[in-house]
Amino acid sequence: MRSLLYSFLAISLSAPLGIGLCVADDWKQFRGPGALGASAGSRLPEQFDGASLKNVAWKTAIPGRSVGGAIVVGEQVITTTGDGMDQRRIRLLSYDAKTGKQRWEQQLVARGRPYCHPTSANAAPTPASDGERVYAFFSSNDLACVDLQGNLVWYRSLATDFPKAGNDVGMSSSPVVADGVVIVQVECQGDSFAIGINSTDGTTAWLIERPRKANWSSPTMVKMPSGKSGVILQSSGDLVAVSPSDGKAMWKMEMGCSTTPSAVADGNRLIVPSGGLTVLDLSSAGAPSQLWKENKLNPNACSPVVSSDKVYVVNRTVLVCGDAFTGKVLWQLRIPDAKQIWSSPVIAGNRLYLFSMEGACFVVDISGEEGKIVETNQLGDEVLGSPAVVGNAMYVRGATTLWKIASE
Amino acid sequence: MYVKLFLARSSVKGALLASLVLATPMACLADTNSEKLGMLRTIRPNNDTDVKAASSAVKQLSESSSIDLIDVLKSMKGASPLGKNWLLGLANTLHRKSPETTKDALRAFLTDASQDPEARYTVFRWLTDGDAELKAKMLDGMLQDSSPELRFEAVAKVLNSSETLETGVLQTLLEASRHPEQIVAIIGRLGKQGVTVNQSEHFGFLDTWKLIGPFDNVGSRSFDKEYAVETDYADGKSLAGSYNGKSGAVQWVTETTADAEGVVDLAKVFNNEKGCIVYGVATVELPADLDCEIRVGCINAQKVWVNGKLVIANEVYHTGMQIDQYAAPVKLRAGTNQILIKVCQNEQKEAWAQRYVFQARLCDSTGKAIATK
């Protein structure tokens, strides 16, 4: 009953039209339902602590390293890791959401290049799920599909299929799944493409060429005016919407987009990290028109997050809030003592949770005219992935630990 | 149905008949399983027909009552890297179904060094998962294991056990280790104990190169342009003369690097030239034919030829560099062998995009340096 209430609140308060918004209790992709990074009906503890385990329901150490987020599918919290020699052992792991006990594991060997900057990891992308299967992508361009019991369904080595694909700084684009197709964006100086792969058997549904420039952003699912699904692909040279079923372009705009933070679809507005933020109107057919553009809303690494008609971006260590309809900057808040922030923030109710790379979580009250840090919590592990929020719990994938934060 | 038939007949004749009937479908199943495993072993890259068949085969094998986990692991031997992952995924599924019942067979499999190294390492993990004591005990005998992953873990276990390992222990680890990071760490610790190891020699880096350049690469347009150095090399001509470079005639210069990681600094030799290409030639004398690997680290776009054959090509600028970044198997011959490298620099202006360097070495398939002169 409570989960139904959360579903209702999440849908009605944030009114997203993104794909994958079936059950608010699930967080099945990078930045969750609609890729909004928000769960309006959730209430999370403001205080928690990795050392004393205050408001830590459970934590579990995970071998290797990950900088991606965890997803939540039903009662399972699913994450990936790369461990062993050169992080070549790529693993999908499932944990019971209530107890933290491991449910299953699947393990393969990276067939592409696992090398990356020490800050990153081979397990950088966040996995995705359609509720039936899990799709895990790695920097080494290995793509594995398992069922919800961890059984291998299919596997693709995109590095074998496209030998010049890869980036030794590390790749990080997360997959999305819609209309029975898994979409993966691989852009680098070598083989660059977006590929749609049939979710049931791993065969190629479509393949399109993409610019041969390094890009770490992820595809974003949107609902087009026709009611059909669309996949937004951004790069330093273009912004394109393609059909997930056949990869055909629905529209294309020549514009320079950021190559790290990803776009957000909030209803019929597409919020694109481009020249700061550029917001496009998706309400009519054809290429969208620009609603506003604001260079002071400049997300340098984290993806923007939208809630209650406000948009939030993190520019290095400054949290900036803007009006989602006009782009007007409403307030700025410097995050003290944060050296680097990679983790895209999440919003639960009227609190924004922002993790620094060092594992400090800044809880920001966003209900007033100014943002205010109400708590600073330490987890004691690096955090680069974006947390998952389901119900009144937050699942944080640290580099070496998975945490469930919930009130005691 | 067959079981019912067996129970219904009490006569010897009936039992024999039933046995035949029982044996035949089981044999058929085994044959079918074998066919499916064979298909997974040889799955082709970028081939939807194979992917679809493999997906179907994995599902059927996962649900089969006649499939044997050890058979799946054994089938990984000689399989393609792609096929191995399908088989590994299947093996994980089967192992999860019966983690306890096959331990004796798994132990026997692990000790059989002729089996696939990745399969053996997977079994090692299954057996030692959550049992640190058993893991440590097993690793004690694996310093020379043929599996690179087991060897890596065995070296790491000793190396991380103490900050004050004796010199003899470190030297044993150095002889055993094949992983660049471990080797560098071991040599560093030996150095602190007053034991000097020539790191470049240990890795087998090629330290002496004849270099020529710069040639034009403005706009990064000449990665595939065949300058006369390349065509002369391909034609087997002498490379001793001069060539027309980016700003006039250029001649060969000899550069010997003293860098511990064999890094040749082209920015230094060629005055931080940008938008250019430099060629390097190294020669290696061998007493007999040899199958080995050439391994290259390079922050810039590069091509590598060995005895006239193109073996490495990466048109990638400033996305990282490390020892053994790119590797390719090569056949060297008795006598003189020639290695040609083409290193391309672009015109990026960022501070982190100014490096113009490469390193190259020859080693066996495990990473151990081969003896050259």
Side-chain angles (χ1 to χ4, degrees):
Chain A
M1 187 64 205
R2 194 164 60 171
S3 63
L4 284 174
L5 177 63
Y6 291 141
S7 301
F8 172 76
L9 287 172
I11 293 169
S12 57
L13 292 180
S14 57
L17 290 179
I19 307 302
L21 188 65
C22 304
V23 182
D25 270 5
D26 281 354
W27 190 278
K28 294 188 290 193
Q29 61 176 353
F30 175 47
R31 296 178 295 152
L36 287 168
S39 181
S42 294
R43 295 291 178 270
L44 302 175
E46 291 180 357
Q47 293 183 341
F48 54 92
D49 184 64
S52 68
L53 300 184
K54 181 180 182 179
N55 287 328
V56 173
W58 51 260
K59 71 167 189 173
T60 184
I62 301 179
R65 180 176 173 82
S66 168
V67 296
I71 59 171
V72 182
V73 185
E75 294 298 318
Q76 298 189 54
V77 186
I78 298 167
T79 185
T80 60
T81 190
D83 76 338
M85 194 171 70
D86 297 325
Q87 300 180 32
R88 283 183 191 275
R89 287 279 163 164
I90 49 177
R91 301 163 74 176
L92 293 86
L93 303 127
S94 169
Y95 298 89
D96 188 285
K98 286 181 183 168
T99 64
K101 187 179 176 186
Q102 185 174 317
R103 285 193 170 197
W104 52 258
E105 174 189 344
Q106 181 57 268
Q107 181 181 148
L108 301 172
V109 180
R111 295 304 175 207
R113 305 161 61 71
Y115 309 126
C116 59
H117 189 277
T119 304
S120 192
N122 193 11
T126 298
S129 176
D130 51 13
E132 291 182 64
R133 291 168 288 271
V134 179
Y135 312 94
F137 193 48
F138 294 84
S139 173
S140 52
N141 287 323
D142 292 273
L143 178 64
C145 169
V146 300
D147 64 21
L148 293 182
Q149 287 74 49
N151 302 315
L152 182 71
V153 179
W154 51 261
Y155 162 75
R156 293 288 298 269
S157 166
L158 299 182
T160 304
D161 295 347
F162 307 94
K164 296 301 179 191
N167 182 335
D168 286 357
V169 174
M171 310 280 276
S172 66
S173 182
S174 299
V176 292
V177 54
D179 296 352
V181 177
V182 185
I183 296 100
V184 172
Q185 189 175 0
V186 177
E187 296 183 22
C188 56
Q189 292 180 44
D191 294 335
S192 292
F193 53 88
I195 188 168
I197 294 176
N198 291 309
S199 61
T200 53
D201 61 13
T203 54
T204 301
W206 52 266
L207 175 73
I208 55 175
E209 282 192 28
R210 294 290 297 151
R212 290 166 71 102
K213 285 187 177 176
N215 189 356
W216 295 270
S217 67
S218 300
T220 298
M221 302 303 304
V222 296
K223 206 72 155 177
M224 307 306 272
S226 61
K228 291 181 179 176
S229 304
V231 185
I232 302 296
L233 307 172
Q234 67 185 69
S235 75
S236 59
D238 68 0
L239 183 76
V240 58
V242 302
S243 163
S245 57
D246 59 17
K248 287 183 179 169
M250 296 167 147
W251 49 257
K252 181 176 180 177
M253 300 173 72
E254 303 291 334
M255 60 187 284
C257 304
S258 298
T259 53
T260 306
S262 306
V264 179
D266 179 34
N268 56 16
R269 289 171 298 177
L270 182 64
I271 300 166
V272 185
S274 172
L277 282 186
T278 299
V279 176
L280 305 173
D281 181 7
L282 292 178
S283 64
S284 52
S289 56
Q290 181 177 308
L291 293 173
W292 56 263
K293 185 174 187 175
E294 177 53 66
N295 62 12
K296 291 176 185 168
L297 291 168
N298 184 27
N300 75 304
C302 312
S303 298
V305 57
V306 186
S307 180
S308 301
D309 299 333
K310 294 188 178 69
V311 59
Y312 303 85
V313 300
V314 180
N315 188 349
R316 301 193 185 281
T317 57
V318 178
L319 176 66
V320 188
C321 172
D323 185 309
F325 287 98
T326 65
K328 180 186 176 186
V329 174
L330 300 176
W331 50 261
Q332 297 187 49
L333 179 66
R334 182 165 296 280
I335 307 298
D337 303 325
K339 291 174 185 168
Q340 276 188 300
I341 298 174
W342 290 97
S343 168
S344 295
V346 293
I347 291 175
N350 57 13
R351 296 289 186 269
L352 181 144
Y353 290 74
L354 177 61
F355 281 88
S356 71
M357 192 174 111
E358 300 81 35
C361 179
F362 303 90
V363 183
V364 182
D365 180 352
I366 54 173
S367 62
E369 293 185 356
E370 295 284 336
K372 181 184 175 188
I373 295 174
V374 292
E375 291 292 344
T376 300
N377 305 297
Q378 302 289 341
L379 273 187
D381 189 15
E382 283 180 69
V383 178
L384 288 90
S386 189
V389 180
V390 173
N392 290 339
M394 176 166 63
Y395 301 88
V396 184
R397 178 61 163 110
T400 60
T401 312
L402 180 62
W403 311 75
K404 179 179 180 179
I405 309 298
S407 292
E408 292 163 342
Chain B
M1 183 178 76
Y2 300 121
V3 174
K4 279 183 182 174
L5 176 65
F6 181 78
L7 292 173
R9 306 282 174 88
S10 56
S11 69
V12 174
K13 186 180 174 184
L16 282 171
L17 179 62
S19 299
L20 281 171
V21 175
L22 270 172
T24 305
M26 290 304 286
C28 286
L29 283 173
D31 286 348
T32 307
N33 288 346
S34 183
E35 283 174 17
K36 289 187 172 74
L37 290 176
M39 190 277 294
L40 292 174
R41 280 167 48 85
T42 55
I43 183 170
R44 294 165 293 182
N46 221 349
N47 187 301
D48 274 347
T49 303
D50 282 12
V51 170
K52 193 166 189 172
S55 179
S56 173
V58 160
K59 180 174 170 52
Q60 290 173 43
L61 290 169
S62 300
E63 294 166 351
S64 170
S65 58
S66 62
I67 188 75
D68 181 72
L69 172 59
I70 300 298
D71 287 343
V72 176
L73 292 166
K74 284 182 176 175
S75 70
M76 288 176 67
K77 185 178 179 180
S80 70
L82 206 54
K84 280 187 195 179
N85 259 355
W86 282 90
L87 294 163
L88 197 54
L90 172 62
N92 274 302
T93 296
L94 297 176
H95 177 255
R96 192 165 46 249
K97 287 180 179 174
S98 55
E100 296 299 325
T101 56
T102 53
K103 278 195 172 176
D104 287 342
L106 290 174
R107 283 191 199 96
F109 183 87
L110 174 60
T111 56
D112 183 354
S114 72
Q115 296 298 336
D116 178 73
E118 291 178 354
R120 290 180 59 236
Y121 181 65
T122 302
V123 168
F124 168 79
R125 286 190 149 196
W126 290 341
L127 291 172
T128 61
D129 186 31
D131 190 340
E133 195 176 332
L134 177 63
K135 181 179 179 182
K137 191 177 172 185
M138 281 189 168
L139 286 173
D140 278 344
M142 292 178 166
L143 271 181
Q144 299 294 334
D145 200 279
S146 56
S147 157
E149 291 174 297
L150 286 169
R151 185 185 285 235
F152 176 83
E153 292 239 10
V155 170
K157 179 217 157 193
V158 182
L159 195 59
N160 299 333
S161 64
S162 169
E163 288 295 316
T164 56
L165 292 174
E166 293 178 1
T167 301
V169 174
L170 288 170
Q171 287 171 326
T172 300
L173 292 181
L174 183 60
E175 196 281 323
S177 181
R178 296 291 182 271
H179 194 275
E181 286 178 13
Q182 287 183 336
I183 290 170
V184 170
I186 296 165
I187 289 175
R189 287 172 69 168
L190 281 168
K192 288 178 183 171
Q193 297 183 11
V195 180
T196 303
V197 176
N198 185 323
Q199 185 172 297
S200 177
E201 194 173 296
H202 183 87
F203 274 106
F205 284 117
L206 299 167
D207 59 359
T208 299
W209 293 82
K210 287 188 172 178
L211 306 173
I212 193 163
F215 297 91
D216 182 58
N217 189 37
V218 171
S220 303
R221 287 192 293 265
S222 301
F223 180 74
D224 289 320
K225 181 170 181 176
E226 293 182 335
Y227 284 104
V229 176
E230 273 178 57
T231 50
D232 283 356
Y233 175 75
D235 293 342
K237 292 180 181 175
S238 168
L239 297 177
S242 67
Y243 292 88
N244 291 323
K246 185 179 179 183
S247 308
V250 292
Q251 294 188 318
W252 294 92
V253 295
T254 299
E255 173 72 8
T256 299
T257 176
D259 185 79
E261 296 188 357
V263 173
V264 180
D265 189 346
L266 299 176
K268 188 176 173 186
V269 176
F270 293 93
N271 299 317
N272 298 313
E273 183 74 26
K274 304 286 288 185
C276 69
I277 286 170
V278 168
Y279 290 93
V281 174
T283 54
V284 175
E285 301 286 337
L286 284 178
D289 293 354
L290 183 68
D291 289 327
C292 65
E293 289 190 3
I294 184 161
R295 299 186 179 183
V296 171
C298 188
I299 193 79
N300 313 92
Q302 86 295 137
K303 288 185 179 181
V304 180
W305 296 260
V306 174
N307 291 333
K309 183 182 177 187
L310 180 67
V311 292
I312 291 173
N314 295 286
E315 192 176 8
V316 178
Y317 295 88
H318 305 294
T319 62
M321 170 180 169
Q322 62 187 59
I323 296 172
D324 295 352
Q325 187 177 16
Y326 306 107
V330 293
K331 286 183 182 295
L332 299 184
R333 60 198 176 208
T336 302
N337 297 270
Q338 201 169 52
I339 296 149
L340 174 69
I341 186 165
K342 175 183 189 177
V343 190
C344 309
Q345 175 66 301
N346 65 4
E347 296 155 283
Q348 282 181 255
K349 291 184 168 51
E350 298 92 336
W352 47 263
Q354 301 310 303
R355 294 180 74 207
Y356 191 21
V357 293
F358 74 94
Q359 60 190 173
R361 72 186 188 115
L362 293 165
C363 58
D364 66 17
S365 60
T366 73
K368 185 177 183 181
I370 63 167
T372 61
K373 59 176 183 178

